[in-house]
């Protein structure tokens, strides 16, 4: 399969029509690195072809951000201008959808002191709290999808072969020269498993595997979601391309035991690898990492809720991402290679009849939401109800 204009337009169409399900006359925000400008130009053209009324592209540059993080005064790191928020909100309040086109810069920010990185990250999370709220509540439709950059390809393959990375991205997204019908078929399979779990309504999950023995109670009125979600007007959309997960909200205070990571976590341009976490009463009480322990500490200490879990997601190892046998150093892809959890904020959409009271619903709130991978070919996951266990995933593969 050659990476030609047609297949790239099929990818753009999948993001626009399945991802954010862009409606005629709707506004669109596109977040992207300057390194992705060629695809963004094609993407904006397709967005207008689909019917967008206005497209706002918000550019970012990790190299520029690095210089600020290294050299600017601390007061600059913690300052977020009102116009940055208002620019986005002016579109979101008019019903805009948001597409984030993401790459990876792996170790680029590794020499930024963790304290300075933590200060800047926390300040932006606080400033964009209302925008995150709109996302987590599905008030606006949104989609995250990958686009290659040379640094990312270099990290994955040892050479900056962006065409090779395009091949893998399109394979993982189930896009080919004929369109995105394979993606739609896959979404139906995810829906079937989601429906099974919702009908079973397990009270808890138990994980066993290498250096892993963890029990996770689920929120009392939890709902399993997968792939396709719905906004507040019941319009369907696909938040992640690719997607392999079926996920829900854990009970905030119901996580106990030890869990070990199965893949590196790339967080704010840094790699956290070979780490384990011990939970008691839902909270991280001990942890260690072979690489990036200081960054992991900053993450867990973002706020009170960052030390609790906000998401439990099941993924089996038959996914095309797992089959490729590579670490992509990008959470969008690595999380979809394996079962995972997320530090921080829960999705309120994973709770039936959520009324805004997280504590009453038993779910976690936080400024942050960061996925980390735990699944592998030796992991078993059991559903627990009324004292009885049912195998859900065995040696990494679905049993339902």
């Amino acid at each position: 399969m050659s990476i030609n204009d047609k297949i790239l337009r099929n990818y753009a169409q999948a993001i626009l029509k399945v991802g954010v399900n862009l409606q005629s006359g709707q506004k669109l925000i596109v977040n992207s690195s300057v390194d992705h400008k060629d695809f963004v130009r094609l993407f904006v053209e397709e967005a207008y072809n689909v019917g967008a009324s206005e497209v706002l592209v918000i550019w970012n540059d990790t190299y520029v951000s690095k210089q600020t993080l290294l050299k600017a005064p601390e007061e600059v790191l913690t300052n977020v201008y009102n116009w940055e928020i208002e620019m986005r909100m002016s579109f979101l309040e008019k019903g805009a959808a948001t597409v984030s086109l993401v790459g990876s810069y792996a170790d680029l920010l590794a020499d930024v002191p963790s304290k300075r990185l933590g200060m800047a990250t926390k300040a932006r999370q606080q400033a964009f709290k209302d925008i995150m709220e709109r996302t987590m509540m599905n008030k606006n439709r949104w989609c995250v999808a990958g686009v290659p950059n040379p640094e990312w390809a270099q990290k994955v393959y040892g050479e900056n072969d962006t065409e090779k990375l395009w091949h893998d991205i399109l394979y993982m997204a189930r896009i080919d020269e004929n369109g995105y019908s394979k993606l739609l078929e896959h979404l139906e399979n995810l829906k079937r498993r989601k429906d099974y779990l919702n009908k079973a309504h397990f009270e808890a999950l138990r994980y066993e595997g290498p250096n892993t023995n963890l029990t996770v109670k689920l929120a009392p009125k939890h709902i399993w979601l997968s792939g396709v979600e719905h906004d507040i007007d019941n319009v369907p959309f696909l938040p992640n391309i690719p997607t392999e997960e079926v996920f829900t909200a854990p009970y905030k205070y119901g996580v106990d035991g030890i869990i070990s990571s199965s893949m590196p976590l790339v967080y704010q341009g840094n790699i956290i690898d070979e780490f384990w976490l011990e939970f008691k009463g839902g909270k991280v009480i001990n942890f260690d990492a072979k690489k990036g322990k200081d960054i992991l500490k900053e993450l867990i200490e973002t706020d009170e809720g960052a030390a609790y879990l906000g998401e439990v997601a099941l993924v089996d190892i038959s996914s095309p991402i797992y089959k490729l046998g590579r670490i992509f150093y990008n959470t969008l892809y690595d999380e979809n290679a394996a079962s995972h959890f997320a530090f921080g904020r829960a999705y309120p959409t994973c709770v039936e009849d959520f009324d805004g009271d997280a504590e009453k619903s038993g779910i976690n709130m936080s400024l942050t939401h960061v996925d980390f991978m735990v699944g592998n070919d030796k992991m078993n996951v059991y559903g627990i109800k009324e004292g009885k266990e049912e195998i859900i995933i065995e040696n990494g593969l679905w049993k339902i």
Side-chain angles (χ1 to χ4, degrees):
M1 180 180 71
S2 61
I3 307 304
N4 53 38
D5 185 77
K6 181 180 179 183
I7 196 168
L8 291 178
R9 289 185 185 277
N10 287 344
Y11 185 45
Q13 290 275 328
I15 297 168
L16 290 162
K17 292 183 177 180
V18 183
V20 291
N21 194 359
L22 193 72
Q23 306 293 296
S24 180
Q26 188 175 8
K27 293 179 182 292
L28 178 68
I29 300 171
V30 179
N31 299 305
S32 177
S33 167
V34 294
D35 292 321
H36 303 147
K37 64 178 176 61
D38 291 339
F39 182 73
V40 171
R41 289 170 178 170
L42 177 153
F43 186 80
V44 170
E45 180 184 343
E46 288 301 314
Y48 280 117
N49 289 343
V50 168
S53 62
E54 185 177 4
V55 181
L56 169 67
V57 179
I58 300 176
W59 299 102
N60 59 74
D61 188 329
T62 305
Y63 286 88
V64 172
S65 298
K66 178 180 179 177
Q67 293 306 310
T68 302
L69 288 165
L70 283 172
K71 299 172 182 176
E74 286 188 356
E75 58 265 28
V76 171
L77 300 185
T78 56
N79 178 54
V80 180
Y81 290 98
N82 288 338
W83 61 261
E84 292 186 68
I85 301 157
E86 291 166 0
M87 175 173 62
R88 293 166 172 83
M89 278 300 240
S90 67
F91 267 59
L92 294 172
E93 288 173 349
K94 292 178 181 176
T98 300
V99 169
S100 295
L101 300 173
V102 299
S104 178
Y105 294 85
D107 296 309
L108 185 61
L109 303 183
D111 53 347
V112 175
S114 59
K115 180 184 175 184
R116 287 174 65 85
L117 183 64
M119 288 170 56
T121 301
K122 187 173 182 178
R124 293 194 72 80
Q125 288 172 332
Q126 185 67 52
F128 286 89
K129 185 178 179 181
D130 290 344
I131 289 176
M132 184 181 184
E133 175 76 10
R134 298 187 75 93
T135 299
M136 301 295 277
M137 292 292 291
N138 290 348
K139 290 182 178 179
N140 296 78
R141 298 191 300 284
W142 55 281
C143 181
V144 183
V147 179
N149 53 280
E151 298 86 349
W152 187 9
Q154 182 71 41
K155 185 68 180 179
V156 174
Y157 309 113
E159 56 181 341
N160 61 0
D161 189 343
T162 54
E163 182 165 347
K164 186 175 184 180
L165 187 51
W166 260 127
H167 276 282
D168 281 348
I169 285 173
L170 293 166
Y171 167 71
M172 291 183 285
R174 294 176 168 84
I175 309 294
D176 56 31
E177 290 188 345
N178 297 317
Y180 48 84
S181 59
K182 292 178 182 177
L183 171 62
L184 297 177
E185 181 182 341
H186 167 62
L187 295 177
E188 282 300 311
N189 288 328
L190 286 179
K191 181 180 182 299
R192 179 174 56 80
R193 293 191 168 104
K194 174 198 74 173
D195 291 344
Y196 182 95
L197 290 167
N198 278 324
K199 186 176 180 181
H201 200 73
F202 294 113
E203 298 161 2
L205 303 179
R206 184 172 69 84
Y207 292 72
E208 63 177 20
N211 196 31
T212 289
N213 185 4
L214 189 78
T215 300
V216 180
K217 291 181 182 177
L218 302 177
K221 298 179 74 175
H222 71 274
I223 301 169
W224 287 93
L225 300 176
S226 70
V228 174
E229 296 187 37
H230 293 79
D231 69 8
I232 56 172
D233 296 319
N234 205 35
V235 178
F237 70 104
L238 183 62
N240 291 339
I241 297 178
T243 185
E244 303 289 332
E245 65 180 344
V246 181
F247 64 98
T248 193
Y251 172 54
K252 179 177 179 179
Y253 305 107
V255 184
D256 292 279
I258 292 177
I259 193 79
S260 297
S261 67
S262 59
M263 294 182 179
L265 166 59
V266 179
Y267 177 68
Q268 299 295 339
N270 289 270
I271 294 175
I272 306 168
D273 199 9
E274 293 186 42
F275 60 95
W276 58 264
L277 305 150
E278 182 179 0
F279 291 85
K280 186 176 181 180
K283 188 175 184 178
V284 176
I285 60 168
N286 199 9
F287 65 92
D288 200 2
K290 195 165 185 179
K291 181 176 183 179
K293 184 176 180 179
D294 289 346
I295 300 297
L296 180 58
K297 184 174 185 290
E298 289 286 342
L299 166 55
I300 292 171
E301 294 178 353
T302 300
D303 59 16
E304 176 63 23
Y308 292 83
L309 296 181
E311 178 187 354
V312 49
L314 299 176
V315 179
D316 94 335
I317 61 173
S318 67
S319 82
I321 304 170
Y322 191 90
K323 285 179 177 178
L324 284 173
R326 299 188 180 103
I327 305 298
F328 282 90
Y329 302 95
N330 180 305
T331 302
L332 174 65
Y333 293 89
D334 293 334
E335 74 165 3
N336 279 297
S339 292
H340 57 271
F341 295 106
F343 296 109
R345 186 182 176 94
Y347 290 104
T349 49
C350 287
V351 176
E352 187 179 352
D353 301 324
F354 182 71
D355 63 1
D357 190 334
E359 197 68 21
K360 186 177 76 174
S361 296
I363 62 172
N364 189 37
M365 286 289 113
S366 172
L367 292 172
T368 195
H369 179 97
V370 178
D371 297 288
F372 62 96
M373 285 59 72
V374 300
N376 54 55
D377 61 1
K378 296 179 178 64
M379 175 172 277
N380 297 330
V381 183
Y382 301 86
I384 303 172
K385 187 174 183 180
E386 297 175 351
K388 297 179 181 178
E389 290 191 344
E390 177 184 341
I391 188 79
I392 299 173
I393 289 180
E394 184 176 30
N395 295 325
L397 290 168
W398 283 112
K399 299 296 289 184
I400 59 173

